[in-house]
Amino acid sequence: MSSNWIEACAADAIEQEDVIRFDHGGRTFAIYRSAEDDYFATDGLCTHEQVHLADGLVMDDIIECPMHNGRFNYRTGEAKGAPVCVNLQTYPVKVEAGKVLVQLD
Amino acid sequence: MPLRDYSLIGPEAEKAVQKGLAAGAWYRPDIPRWQMKDLMQRRDGPAIRDTMLWIALFILSGAGGFYFWGTWWCVPFLFCYGVLYGSSTDSRWHECGHGTAFKTRWMNDAVYHIASFMIMREPVIWRWSHARHHTNTIIVGRDPEIVATRPPNLFQIYLYFFGITTVPKALQKMAIHAMGRLTEEEKTFVPESEWSKAYVIARIHLGIHALPFALAIHFGSWLPLMYFGVLPTMYGAWLGVYFGLTQHAGLAEDVLDHRLNSRTVHMNPIFRFVYWNMNYHIEHHIFPMVPYHALPKLHAIMAPDLPKPYPGTIAAYRDIIGALLRQRTDPAWTIEPELPALAKPCQPAVPGNATPAPAA
């Protein structure tokens, strides 16, 4: 296992079509589990006004910021329109032995 | 107390940043994640039902006004039409702007753009303005949507009920945008990447606003002016202003706790249909992604942490009028909502080395 794969949480700690917050190294991330049981990771704060995305709602491939309705595709990080104009950084994720691992920079 | 500067480019804007109010951490009650997910769920059903009813009421009142035009009988029909046009569009603009009214995105966008035109709030500018209002609610120098400034200008507030100042101001802003410019204040909250969209939409809106005048001249009748454009926005504005003033007027400025700067008022079902449940305004500000149809449920969950809601608009206005009259001579005075004994305490201070916010 590469040294920069970081254990974020247990795979079953996230419900299907949901997100949780993961803090590491002074940074905050959002870890997603899709309806199809795939896992994804992005930066944890909305690129609009630094709100924690883990408090938002996951709908299909979209994470919605809980404050201003900023919407991102959490698989690609793409910002889906105002009030978000800057894409989210995404990170590779894998599941091993029931743990979600995130490859951080 | 020196007069405060409510502009977004004056000294108060800088002070709000220095005090940590611009990026402060707001009070939030602890509601379990499963419950918040349930509350935030989107549904098309309630908004489709309400929109169908809304359109039917437009048709009925509009047809009545047309049929009885030239007699006094047209007055009650156009009275209802005006309220639908100039007041109920406020909440449609608002909810669809938040993207919460419908589950289907294009439905939110369609109603948002139509309502934006009717209420004369340019959709690009006001989307960003309202985002700022939610980030910095009633923070002087940061919030572009503070209605009752201090000391309050009561005559100006009175004119709001008829759109006498707001509509000409909206047209003036539209003209500025149509010429390819934003005001310096608008530049503080609208990102540059959005400016060109704002210019195009301003030109389209101005063009559509000219249409009823052209039709009125063509047909030699006032009737087209009664149905769309600036006139119904003005003659129908009063109820929207009546509701809108209950949101924040007389309450605290520069606090990081929506329980102290926003107001929840119980309203009857007709008012709540017109206003799409925005009477639950504290709840809406704390959790803006909860759709209007779920706000009564959110209110019930949050009630132990909230000030006692006003039983109706009359009770709210007793407080508001008293506060506005008093603030004419004592601008620092503010209504201090009483929190339940077991409520989570007020947000005590802003983070970092900032000055504590006044615990109104």
Side-chain angles (χ1 to χ4, degrees):
Chain A
M1 185 169 68
S2 172
S3 60
N4 59 348
W5 283 98
I6 307 296
E7 183 182 322
C9 60
D12 61 5
I14 317 175
E15 290 183 14
Q16 280 186 318
E17 209 169 33
D18 201 5
V19 55
I20 64 166
R21 175 176 165 179
F22 168 57
D23 293 337
H24 178 77
R27 297 166 65 190
T28 186
F29 304 91
I31 315 290
Y32 308 85
R33 181 178 174 184
S34 72
E36 297 80 29
D37 252 353
D38 298 317
Y39 290 80
F40 300 89
T42 69
D43 274 337
L45 298 176
C46 179
T47 58
H48 170 222
E49 286 204 352
Q50 304 288 297
V51 175
H52 281 284
L53 293 171
D55 291 330
L57 188 64
V58 176
M59 293 171 284
D60 300 324
D61 293 346
I62 299 293
I63 175 66
E64 179 189 76
C65 172
M67 180 58 79
H68 303 105
N69 190 234
R71 296 159 70 248
F72 302 91
N73 182 319
Y74 62 78
R75 294 171 184 258
T76 63
E78 182 193 1
K80 302 297 285 183
V84 288
C85 305
V86 179
N87 293 345
L88 271 180
Q89 176 72 49
T90 59
Y91 301 90
V93 173
K94 62 182 178 182
V95 178
E96 282 183 359
K99 306 287 185 193
V100 179
L101 306 175
V102 186
Q103 189 176 37
L104 302 179
D105 313 319
Chain B
M1 179 181 170
L3 293 183
R4 301 194 74 179
D5 178 355
Y6 285 81
S7 87
L8 308 187
I9 51 175
E12 292 287 351
E14 185 58 33
K15 278 186 203 165
V17 174
Q18 287 168 356
K19 288 178 183 172
L21 291 165
W26 287 78
Y27 156 84
R28 282 185 80 170
D30 301 319
I31 297 181
R33 171 78 182 156
W34 66 267
Q35 211 161 23
M36 280 313 303
K37 275 169 59 180
D38 179 52
L39 288 162
M40 289 192 289
Q41 285 304 319
R42 301 297 143 73
R43 293 162 60 197
D44 280 333
I48 288 176
R49 178 201 63 208
D50 288 346
T51 304
M52 298 297 282
L53 178 57
W54 189 56
I55 292 169
L57 291 169
F58 265 114
I59 292 171
L60 279 175
S61 57
F66 183 81
Y67 184 78
F68 290 111
W69 181 247
T71 74
W72 284 105
W73 286 106
C74 76
V75 172
F77 288 98
L78 290 177
F79 176 84
C80 293
Y81 184 90
V83 165
L84 291 167
Y85 194 105
S87 289
S88 71
T89 42
D90 179 17
S91 55
R92 273 66 185 172
W93 162 81
H94 178 264
E95 285 303 286
C96 293
H98 277 286
T100 53
F102 297 89
K103 181 177 185 180
T104 305
R105 189 73 185 175
W106 71 261
M107 294 183 189
N108 277 315
D109 290 341
V111 175
Y112 178 69
H113 278 276
I114 292 166
S116 293
F117 173 81
M118 294 163 88
I119 199 78
M120 296 184 72
R121 291 181 191 150
E122 294 173 69
V124 173
I125 304 290
W126 279 83
R127 189 185 291 279
W128 289 95
S129 160
H130 199 63
R132 174 67 77 82
H133 170 63
H134 271 270
T135 304
N136 295 142
T137 310
I138 319 297
I139 303 293
V140 178
R142 294 288 299 178
D143 184 347
E145 298 182 6
I146 299 178
V147 176
T149 54
R150 299 185 199 174
N153 182 334
L154 298 183
F155 185 61
Q156 189 178 55
I157 290 172
Y158 170 71
L159 294 180
Y160 288 159
F161 283 85
F162 313 102
I164 287 169
T165 50
T166 45
V167 166
K169 194 175 169 189
L171 283 172
Q172 183 194 18
K173 289 270 184 78
M174 230 177 271
I176 291 170
H177 304 150
M179 288 188 287
R181 286 191 290 125
L182 255 62
T183 67
E184 291 306 311
E185 282 196 300
E186 288 163 343
K187 286 177 186 173
T188 67
F189 57 82
V190 183
E192 199 166 350
S193 60
E194 297 280 297
W195 295 1
S196 59
K197 283 185 221 166
Y199 304 153
V200 171
I201 289 177
R203 289 164 196 155
I204 293 169
H205 279 208
L206 273 181
I208 302 174
H209 276 298
L211 199 57
F213 289 96
L215 289 171
I217 291 167
H218 178 75
F219 289 111
S221 166
W222 288 93
L223 208 51
L225 293 169
M226 299 301 290
Y227 281 101
F228 77 111
V230 298
L231 209 56
T233 307
M234 294 174 81
Y235 78 77
W238 63 274
L239 189 58
V241 176
Y242 182 72
F243 292 156
L245 276 174
T246 68
Q247 295 177 357
H248 307 287
L251 291 159
E253 293 174 338
D254 295 352
V255 292
L256 297 178
D257 194 327
H258 292 109
R259 297 173 300 178
L260 306 180
N261 67 15
S262 306
R263 182 183 282 109
T264 285
V265 182
H266 284 308
M267 289 188 184
N268 66 52
I270 294 172
F271 279 10
R272 283 173 50 201
F273 169 77
V274 173
Y275 200 29
W276 260 9
N277 282 344
M278 275 306 110
N279 51 305
Y280 297 109
H281 213 67
I282 300 175
E283 297 84 339
H284 165 68
H285 264 279
I286 294 176
F287 294 112
M289 287 301 106
V290 173
Y292 77 96
H293 52 78
L295 284 175
K297 194 172 169 186
L298 176 62
H299 170 73
I301 292 167
M302 290 178 62
D305 257 355
L306 300 184
K308 196 174 171 189
Y310 287 80
T313 54
I314 302 291
Y317 268 89
R318 269 192 212 113
D319 254 15
I320 292 167
I321 291 169
L324 296 183
L325 289 173
R326 184 155 178 184
Q327 286 172 351
R328 283 193 310 166
T329 51
D330 182 5
W333 191 85
T334 190
I335 297 169
E336 297 181 12
E338 189 179 337
L339 298 178
L342 298 177
K344 198 172 163 183
C346 297
Q347 199 74 357
V350 291
N353 56 1
T355 308

